[in-house]
Amino acid sequence: DSGVTQTPKHLITATGQRVTLRCSPRSGDLSVYWYQQSLDQGLQFLIQYYNGEERAKGNILERFSAQQFPDLHSELNLSSLELGDSALYFCASRSSSGNTIYFGEGSWLTVV
Amino acid sequence: AQKVTQAQTEISVVEKEDVTLDCVYETRDTTYYLFWYKQPPSGELVFLIRRNSFDEQNEISGRYSWNFQKSTSSFNFTITASQVVDSAVYFCALSEKVETSGSRLTFGEGTQLTVNP
């Protein structure tokens, strides 16, 4: 158990819909990352937050947005979903003391 | 841009064989971190090791060992006496600085290891 909690674990939704993925980082970790893993793209960095502020942006589509709340949990919002958005979405947190990055178990999103 | 290359897409071994997974990286940062993660069929990404760029000491943890060579920009991972439970995809990753104060991991493509009984 990495200590990073992601919900839901599995999600099936229709094209055009909107979903929210939730992440709770390890206790004490201020930095949260979101990654997308699809069969054809591998592990792609989406966005990083640190203590509520956006710090880095990767290949995140305009239809996607994220935020980190004062209690440090983070949400990734995916809207106008397309079939190609079907993927495993990971949240990760970086330990403040050792720079190790731990991943949650992921949220499997299937768009039908 | 930083890059991580795992040239071995798939490796198949028989149980109890030793196996080495290769990882080569490119970076312009003078200080960086390298990681290995394991992704079993269930899908989660399991942290295995983090190595700082200024620490070239090799590390051994049970049947796992890592060889970090800065001169060749390589960070190879060896499993000794492999077991069926070692079957998974293994990812090498490099931590890079992004924008003014951000960071991210750049992953290799992964190596699918299959250990046959």
Side-chain angles (χ1 to χ4, degrees):
Chain A
D1 183 5
S2 67
V4 179
T5 304
Q6 288 188 247
T7 57
K9 286 191 169 33
H10 298 272
L11 191 55
I12 301 175
T13 190
T15 54
Q17 295 298 305
R18 171 190 169 97
V19 299
T20 297
L21 309 180
R22 183 189 167 99
C23 168
S24 294
R26 289 166 12 112
S27 178
D29 289 355
L30 302 177
S31 194
V32 168
Y33 303 78
W34 285 98
Y35 283 81
Q36 179 193 56
Q37 185 180 30
S38 57
L39 283 174
D40 55 345
Q41 296 273 340
L43 275 155
Q44 298 288 315
F45 168 70
L46 296 178
I47 199 162
Q48 179 208 3
Y49 280 85
Y50 180 85
N51 203 20
E53 293 184 2
E54 182 185 306
R55 284 291 179 91
K57 218 166 186 175
N59 301 322
I60 188 167
L61 300 172
E62 283 191 16
R63 300 183 285 108
F64 296 0
S65 65
Q67 54 184 326
Q68 186 180 26
F69 295 87
D71 67 352
L72 300 178
H73 91 271
S74 178
E75 292 181 358
L76 179 66
N77 300 296
L78 315 174
S79 61
S80 303
L81 285 166
E82 302 174 359
L83 296 177
D85 297 328
S86 296
L88 180 54
Y89 291 84
F90 283 108
C91 171
S93 70
R94 178 187 284 266
S95 66
S96 304
S97 56
N99 285 305
T100 297
I101 299 176
Y102 296 95
F103 284 79
E105 293 187 349
S107 291
W108 290 89
L109 173 66
T110 303
V111 182
V112 297
Chain B
Q2 313 214 350
K3 187 178 178 183
V4 177
T5 302
Q6 294 180 255
Q8 304 147 310
T9 305
E10 295 182 25
I11 300 176
S12 182
V13 299
V14 177
E15 210 169 15
K16 296 185 185 175
E17 282 187 31
D18 298 348
V19 57
T20 295
L21 309 182
D22 297 333
C23 173
V24 175
Y25 62 93
E26 296 174 26
T27 181
R28 279 185 243 173
D29 290 347
T30 53
T31 301
Y32 50 90
Y33 299 92
L34 292 159
F35 298 79
W36 276 96
Y37 291 89
K38 173 182 179 180
Q39 187 173 39
S42 50
E44 70 270 27
L45 274 172
V46 179
F47 166 77
L48 295 178
I49 190 172
R50 186 200 82 227
R51 171 62 71 216
N52 304 334
S53 57
F54 47 84
D55 180 5
E56 287 198 66
Q57 190 171 7
N58 291 329
E59 183 154 341
I60 298 174
S61 175
R63 297 184 297 106
Y64 295 170
S65 62
W66 291 270
N67 183 314
F68 174 38
Q69 291 197 338
K70 211 166 175 178
S71 60
T72 56
S73 297
S74 65
F75 186 40
N76 297 335
F77 173 31
T78 298
I79 301 175
T80 303
S82 60
Q83 300 176 1
V84 173
V85 292
D86 295 327
S87 296
V89 180
Y90 290 86
F91 290 96
C92 180
L94 169 68
S95 178
E96 63 174 309
K97 295 171 191 168
V98 180
E99 300 170 20
T100 51
S101 55
S103 66
R104 70 179 179 196
L105 284 179
T106 297
F107 282 87
E109 294 297 313
T111 298
Q112 169 71 61
L113 173 65
T114 302
V115 181
N116 299 297

